[in-house]
Amino acid sequence: MSNSSRGPAVRASPAAGSSAGSSDTLSGSPGEEDEDGCGLLMMMSSEQGFQESHSLLTVRSIDLPKSRDGLNRREHRTDAFIHDKLIVRRGQTFQMWIDLSRPFNPKTDRLHLELRLDYMFTSVRGIRIMVWLVNDLEDGRWEMKIVEQKDTKIRLSVNTPASASIGQYKVSVVTYSRKGGMIFPYAQNNEFYVLFNPWCEDDPVYLANEAERRECVLNNMGRIYYGTELQIGTRTWNFAQFEEDVLEASLFVLERARVSVTAWGDPVIVCRVISALVNSNDDQGVLEGNWSESFEGGTAPTAWSGSGDILRQYYKSSGTPVKFAQCWVYAGVTNSVLRCLGIPTRCVTNFSSAHDTDFSMTTDIYIDDKLEVIKERTNDSVWNFHVWNESWMTRPDLPVGHGGWQVVDSTPQEPSQGSYRCGPTSVTAVRNGQVNLKYDTPFVFAEVNSDKIFWQRKADGSFSQVRVEKHSIGQHISTKAVGSDMRIEITHLYKHPEGSEEERMAVETASRYGSKPMMYPFPLANDVTVEIIMEGAGPRMGGDAKLSLILKNRSSVQRSTTLLCEVLVMYYTGVLKASLKKERVPVILKPQEIKSIPWILQYGEYMNHLVDQGALMLTVTGRVNQTKQILATQFNFRLRTPDLTITPVGEAVMGKELTVKISFQNPLQQVLKNVVFRIEGLGMQSVRKILYGDVEKLATVTLTEKFVLVFSGLQKLLASMDCRQLTQVHGVADIVVKRQ
């Protein structure tokens, strides 16, 4: 095929049922449908044609080869889909057969395809496309060529342009001969699906690296990271993008946006639509968020470990939002939908992720004259972690150089153009502080690179800056490595090295577009510092939490202060629930002294107050008596939960039964109530739920489960525990399944 740069030759046909447009075609009326819904042949013929109908060229059948191990599905890398229809990727040819009433004569006969792309689940009409028979195929066009003829059968190579809209296409065939024209109508079996194609250089989602394509499009298992910047937790997620009904569910979500099918070929529009429709805040989307302590009437966000059940439930309920989600669930489902549709996508976690509520590009903490946080004024927050997605595509709507990874975030935080959505946002634009570029760049920039500013209320009620933290927001931005289960950091993609001239210039550039352009923070002189240190991986659930306060006096004279230490229970989003403990600690520092002060939170002080992530925040403030310098810092940490241990018993062989043991020890001095275990993976098409009941304090639980192995090669088995008193308990095992 030639590398023509011309655009696709898409010709919109008349409405369905109209006569075929050709000088050799005579007008006629459509026939009626038969009882099985497949329709009768519709004839358009001259009077002579009616008299000699036996010489007309008619279509007996259409065959769209669709077997999973067939040439079409393998060449288009869609053989992993559990689906009984042909699925192809745009910008690439596929094969089909047509069985005619007699041998095709290229000198006197002609034919073309008429494709129809409509909404699948409503009556909204879409577009009609004519696919003409040519001698030589060219890129960028809907065209077809006869590549083989066997008696009455012809094999066609059909070319799809790299700009084609994705979706389900219905096929009809129009034939012409000297005796008239015939239309073989649309039928239920004559359908195929078109997806984005990261393997096609002309597709905006083209990704050059094969390993990255396999990871970000074809891998149905991934890793999602959570916790805090010093205690990074990992959970495996089953994206399930190839499972039964997931393709239909993904297109169902896309249709809910009610945008024209002509826009379905633009990955920028598709990603923006999906980011809005995965949450249900204003459009009855897939998932209903819940950041409370009660998940009655639904599934706790921490209990999900895959997207398949969520998408199937939404699709089969005709669009009833699934309960419940938090950021990693939104990201997992978004990842599944976009990978299913063919857009390279990965989950990304930002630790110490800011939520800027006033477009200031800063994270503002307000304190009173007693150095206590003014909670009713402090609207900005810092989430322990936040999970979003990155999708790979060109950005012709932005200046050159802003293609590549784009942030797509479905978690409803702030409205964007009237709807709760975020992105696609160019990661390059975020890195350089170009917050004037669409979409939602100011919000994403603040999440990863805003300065945290402490403001103190003065006697007249106004506020002044007393401290600036320039390096606390946007830590250890992480994603799964390509081809392995390792975590890699991609912070360098989002911002220049902290404190560098380039990073400061990006911050200053962004701030000029914010709501406080004239109040950019200025450096404050100081000679006393305070920081909070945690040793090792940090405290475990059920034990005491131990941290250290490190104070440094860099001056040549003595300094003294009284530190206010307050620890609060909070949701991982940064929303505070309650204060657990507050104490004042007097400190005297000798010249050039570095002092370490132990800080302990006992198990009994927190055991009845934790929320879903076991997240805590220690705030330390103080005033240096001699210089009136304000000291202020915050430290987020979590209480680590135990893992589920998954152990295969015996050899794993395809087609045979495998026994697996799943064990867990309750780390708490209290009974766990109504424990449910959820298991998926190993080729299972649905989640296996085990209603276990209560687990006694400090008790060990061992489950024995059996699985019939349907796929060979490296497989993953995922398990999670759903329990009100103890969340984020999960495990994963790699199991190599041998062929018989």
Side-chain angles (χ1 to χ4, degrees):
M1 295 169 61
S2 63
N3 291 320
S4 170
S5 60
R6 288 181 292 173
V10 178
R11 310 180 196 181
S13 75
S18 300
S19 61
S22 168
S23 59
D24 290 343
T25 304
L26 301 178
S27 62
S29 59
E32 298 176 347
E33 288 193 355
D34 61 9
E35 292 181 356
D36 65 8
C38 293
L40 298 174
L41 292 179
M42 295 182 288
M43 180 182 298
M44 297 173 296
S45 175
S46 64
E47 195 172 314
Q48 179 185 5
F50 282 111
Q51 297 171 354
E52 301 180 27
S53 60
H54 65 279
S55 63
L56 285 172
L57 183 66
T58 62
V59 176
R60 292 174 177 169
S61 64
I62 297 173
D63 181 18
L64 297 166
K66 56 199 176 186
S67 66
R68 291 178 60 191
D69 59 352
L71 185 66
N72 276 339
R73 295 279 291 269
R74 285 188 287 107
E75 286 191 344
H76 286 257
R77 300 169 181 86
T78 60
D79 50 307
F81 280 94
I82 308 298
H83 207 287
D84 60 359
K85 294 292 176 67
L86 175 61
I87 305 169
V88 301
R89 300 190 186 275
R90 65 186 192 174
Q92 192 173 335
T93 60
F94 66 90
Q95 309 293 306
M96 64 176 289
W97 287 88
I98 299 178
D99 187 10
L100 301 166
S101 58
R102 58 173 173 77
F104 182 81
N105 185 344
K107 294 182 179 180
T108 59
D109 300 330
R110 283 187 290 164
L111 60 79
H112 72 264
L113 304 182
E114 183 178 315
L115 307 181
R116 190 173 79 189
L117 175 62
D118 299 321
Y119 274 37
M120 293 173 58
F121 307 102
T122 65
S123 59
V124 176
R125 301 274 303 265
I127 58 175
R128 305 294 181 269
I129 298 169
M130 298 294 194
V131 184
W132 304 98
L133 197 60
V134 298
N135 292 324
D136 296 299
L137 297 176
E138 294 188 21
D139 287 344
R141 295 173 176 268
W142 281 103
E143 291 179 336
M144 62 182 180
K145 176 183 178 180
I146 297 177
V147 293
E148 185 179 355
Q149 185 166 355
K150 291 182 178 180
D151 193 22
T152 61
K153 295 183 179 181
I154 57 174
R155 181 164 62 93
L156 299 171
S157 179
V158 182
N159 188 49
T160 62
S163 59
S165 292
I166 64 169
Q168 183 197 70
Y169 286 78
K170 298 180 184 296
V171 184
S172 72
V173 181
V174 181
T175 59
Y176 308 91
S177 66
R178 289 177 177 176
K179 299 302 181 182
M182 296 290 293
I183 296 178
F184 187 83
Y186 302 111
Q188 188 174 3
N189 293 329
N190 300 333
E191 301 166 344
F192 67 95
Y193 292 85
V194 174
L195 307 178
F196 291 102
N197 192 353
W199 286 266
C200 174
E201 293 185 11
D202 295 328
D203 196 310
V205 303
Y206 172 68
L207 185 58
N209 186 284
E210 172 64 15
E212 290 183 339
R213 289 192 295 247
R214 290 189 170 277
E215 179 66 49
C216 297
V217 181
L218 301 182
N219 193 354
N220 64 338
M221 291 282 182
R223 292 291 185 97
I224 296 178
Y225 303 99
Y226 65 94
T228 71
E229 60 183 277
L230 296 180
Q231 297 169 285
I232 297 177
T234 305
R235 65 179 305 156
T236 302
W237 193 267
N238 181 13
F239 297 125
Q241 71 266 36
F242 303 123
E243 288 185 5
E244 189 174 357
D245 293 328
V246 171
L247 176 55
E248 284 84 354
S250 299
L251 292 171
F252 177 70
V253 174
L254 183 60
E255 283 191 15
R256 301 281 287 185
R258 310 291 288 183
V259 299
S260 169
V261 296
T262 57
W264 292 1
D266 186 343
V268 174
I269 295 175
V270 170
C271 284
R272 189 150 176 80
V273 162
I274 295 302
S275 77
L277 266 297
V278 168
N279 71 72
S280 65
N281 280 42
D282 44 29
D283 43 28
Q284 287 294 103
V286 179
L287 284 159
E288 180 178 324
N290 186 343
W291 282 266
S292 73
E293 296 180 56
S294 174
F295 302 108
E296 294 295 328
T299 299
T302 53
W304 299 112
S305 57
S307 305
D309 274 13
I310 294 171
L311 287 167
R312 279 187 289 266
Q313 181 178 330
Y314 181 70
Y315 169 54
K316 292 181 178 180
S317 68
S318 300
T320 301
V322 179
K323 301 176 181 181
F324 293 105
Q326 292 178 14
C327 71
W328 66 93
V329 185
Y330 287 116
V333 171
T334 299
N335 214 69
S336 301
V337 171
L338 294 179
R339 284 190 184 184
C340 179
L341 299 180
I343 300 176
T345 305
R346 61 188 185 183
C347 291
V348 172
T349 302
N350 178 38
F351 294 94
S352 295
S353 185
H355 182 169
D356 177 23
T357 59
D358 62 357
F359 198 66
S360 64
M361 249 66 77
T362 57
T363 302
D364 302 307
I365 311 296
Y366 294 89
I367 58 178
D368 58 21
D369 55 351
K370 297 180 181 179
L371 307 181
E372 297 196 23
V373 175
I374 305 174
K375 298 178 178 63
E376 62 272 15
R377 186 177 178 91
T378 303
N379 296 317
D380 293 349
S381 60
V382 180
W383 298 26
N384 279 355
F385 69 97
H386 181 47
V387 188
W388 57 66
N389 303 92
E390 285 180 353
S391 294
W392 183 273
M393 68 194 71
T394 61
R395 289 299 300 269
D397 56 328
L398 298 182
V400 174
H402 290 86
W405 290 116
Q406 313 288 314
V407 172
V408 180
D409 190 351
S410 298
T411 300
Q413 295 179 88
E414 297 293 329
S416 171
Q417 296 179 329
S419 178
Y420 280 93
R421 56 187 168 185
C422 182
T425 308
S426 168
V427 173
T428 300
V430 172
R431 189 171 193 256
N432 296 322
Q434 295 168 293
V435 298
N436 57 314
L437 300 180
K438 60 184 182 183
Y439 293 94
D440 309 308
T441 313
F443 186 80
V444 178
F445 178 87
E447 286 182 300
V448 301
N449 205 15
S450 57
D451 287 343
K452 182 188 284 189
I453 305 178
F454 291 83
W455 303 80
Q456 186 177 32
R457 185 165 56 197
K458 297 190 292 187
D460 61 2
S462 63
F463 289 85
S464 61
Q465 296 179 29
V466 294
R467 177 170 172 78
V468 178
E469 290 186 2
K470 297 181 179 180
H471 311 314
S472 61
I473 301 298
Q475 300 295 311
H476 302 298
I477 303 174
S478 301
T479 191
K480 177 185 174 296
V482 172
S484 81
D485 287 335
M486 298 294 292
R487 179 182 67 88
I488 60 169
E489 291 199 16
I490 56 172
T491 310
H492 64 283
L493 299 180
Y494 282 83
K495 53 185 175 180
H496 299 279
E498 291 280 15
S500 67
E501 182 67 18
E502 294 86 353
E503 188 264 344
R504 286 291 94 192
M505 287 176 60
V507 172
E508 293 171 12
T509 298
S511 70
R512 286 197 289 269
Y513 294 93
S515 60
K516 301 175 182 177
M518 304 304 294
M519 299 186 67
Y520 189 75
F522 52 90
L524 298 175
N526 62 79
D527 53 22
V528 176
T529 62
V530 60
E531 63 178 327
I532 303 169
I533 298 296
M534 178 182 69
E535 292 186 3
R540 285 189 171 274
M541 184 75 72
D544 295 344
K546 299 179 181 180
L547 304 174
S548 297
L549 312 181
I550 308 298
L551 290 97
K552 299 179 182 179
N553 178 11
R554 296 175 178 170
S555 74
S556 57
V557 295
Q558 179 175 290
R559 298 290 190 229
S560 62
T561 183
T562 297
L563 299 178
L564 172 62
C565 303
E566 182 180 16
V567 62
L568 302 106
V569 177
M570 68 174 186
Y571 299 96
Y572 80 97
T573 58
V575 176
L576 304 177
K577 179 196 175 189
S579 176
L580 288 183
K581 180 180 180 180
K582 186 186 295 185
E583 59 184 335
R584 295 187 181 273
V585 181
V587 180
I588 297 176
L589 296 171
K590 298 176 182 178
Q592 302 295 323
E593 183 182 7
I594 300 175
K595 179 172 286 188
S596 176
I597 301 173
W599 180 89
I600 299 175
L601 178 68
Q602 296 180 346
Y603 171 66
E605 295 175 307
Y606 70 74
M607 62 175 291
N608 295 321
H609 301 283
L610 295 181
V611 289
D612 56 354
Q613 299 285 328
L616 300 165
M617 180 175 69
L618 176 61
T619 299
V620 176
T621 57
R623 177 187 285 116
V624 179
N625 296 324
Q626 292 79 10
T627 63
K628 306 305 179 185
Q629 175 196 343
I630 298 296
L631 304 175
T633 190
Q634 292 176 324
F635 185 81
N636 296 337
F637 63 102
R638 68 181 178 95
L639 301 167
R640 294 185 295 135
T641 53
D643 293 328
L644 298 180
T645 302
I646 304 175
T647 307
V649 179
E651 190 175 46
V653 180
M654 189 173 75
K656 294 188 176 181
E657 191 175 72
L658 175 68
T659 300
V660 175
K661 291 187 179 295
I662 302 172
S663 60
F664 157 77
Q665 182 176 13
N666 179 9
L668 302 183
Q669 292 278 354
Q670 62 184 102
V671 177
L672 302 181
K673 299 287 188 179
N674 302 317
V675 171
V676 177
F677 292 95
R678 301 164 64 92
I679 306 171
E680 61 183 296
L682 283 185
M684 291 189 291
Q685 293 301 303
S686 62
V687 175
R688 182 183 298 183
K689 296 181 182 179
I690 301 170
L691 306 179
Y692 187 85
D694 296 347
V695 177
E696 294 299 319
K697 60 182 180 179
L698 302 178
T700 297
V701 171
T702 300
L703 304 177
T704 301
E705 295 293 315
K706 297 181 183 295
F707 306 89
V708 176
L709 305 174
V710 296
F711 296 112
S712 62
L714 179 62
Q715 304 288 323
K716 289 183 184 294
L717 182 65
L718 285 61
S720 65
M721 188 185 79
D722 186 4
C723 174
R724 178 77 176 273
Q725 298 102 316
L726 190 63
T727 64
Q728 288 289 19
V729 177
H730 43 79
V732 61
D734 289 330
I735 299 175
V736 178
V737 181
K738 299 179 180 179
R739 290 184 177 273
Q740 287 186 337

